[in-house]
Amino acid sequence: MSNYMKLEILAKSVNEPFARSCVAAFCLPLNPTLEELNDVKTAVSEAVTNAIVHAYTSEEEKITITCSIEGNTLTVTVQDTGKGIADVAQAQEPFFTTLEEDERSGMGFTIMQTFMSSCTVESTLGKGTTVILQKKISKNQTQLAKSKMTNIQIVDDISNAQ
């Protein structure tokens, strides 16, 4: 493992942007593209929001987020010790929600699966849920090309170009 981070937050919606930003900052050494970075931020946002909304009835409970980097792969684990999910397969179906009255779309797991290289959900009723997200970060070719440039000439008048 080349790097590791652990973050523990209260299950309050105001903490979701902080968690998302911390994970995004953690993966910056992998030099992700903006698209890859946005994918990670979106998936983490969904995983944390799911824990806040579905796992607990109190905002005083905790959510643990761990991140690790191995090679070019970021692994993010979002874990709660809340209610758990009765049927994980059903919960992962698009548009499935247990909170229709709260105008929930039921797309959280679908979004996580779409934006990440892998998404694994483990849950036990009464003990909580763990979501493991992995994203393989491609080598940003634009940044690599820029880092290999050795001779740059800046001209302000086309007649001075050589």
Side-chain angles (χ1 to χ4, degrees):
M1 179 178 333
S2 65
N3 203 1
Y4 173 83
M5 173 191 81
K6 183 175 182 178
L7 174 68
E8 190 173 82
I9 60 172
L10 288 177
K12 296 182 177 192
S13 60
V14 297
N15 290 333
E16 178 274 322
F18 177 71
R20 178 183 65 219
S21 296
C22 287
V23 173
F26 178 81
C27 79
L28 287 178
L30 290 173
N31 196 25
T33 63
L34 285 177
E35 182 178 355
E36 290 168 329
L37 190 59
N38 284 329
D39 289 352
V40 169
K41 288 167 61 176
T42 301
V44 169
S45 176
E46 291 295 332
V48 171
T49 298
N50 272 0
I52 291 168
V53 171
H54 297 287
Y56 302 117
T57 56
S58 166
E59 290 185 339
E60 299 306 311
E61 302 296 336
K62 295 178 183 168
I63 298 168
T64 304
I65 300 137
T66 58
C67 301
S68 64
I69 294 174
E70 186 64 46
N72 70 330
T73 302
L74 170 70
T75 301
V76 180
T77 303
V78 178
Q79 184 174 27
D80 67 66
T81 56
K83 297 177 191 175
I85 301 170
D87 185 339
V88 171
Q90 183 182 34
Q92 291 179 308
E93 289 294 319
F95 306 111
F96 176 80
T97 182
T98 57
L99 297 173
E100 290 177 5
E101 64 279 359
D102 287 346
E103 298 182 20
R104 297 285 165 191
S105 69
M107 293 298 291
F109 286 124
T110 301
I111 290 169
M112 289 180 241
Q113 292 164 345
T114 300
F115 288 129
M116 300 300 281
S117 303
S118 71
C119 173
T120 305
V121 181
E122 301 166 354
S123 191
T124 303
L125 281 177
K127 294 191 178 187
T129 301
T130 301
V131 177
I132 304 165
L133 304 166
Q134 287 193 312
K135 181 75 169 177
K136 291 185 181 182
I137 304 296
S138 66
K139 297 297 180 188
N140 186 340
Q141 297 303 314
T142 303
Q143 293 298 329
L144 288 175
K146 285 181 182 177
S147 69
K148 292 181 181 180
M149 289 184 187
T150 56
N151 186 13
I152 299 173
Q153 181 180 12
I154 299 173
V155 283
D156 60 5
D157 184 350
I158 199 154
S159 63
N160 290 332
Q162 297 177 352

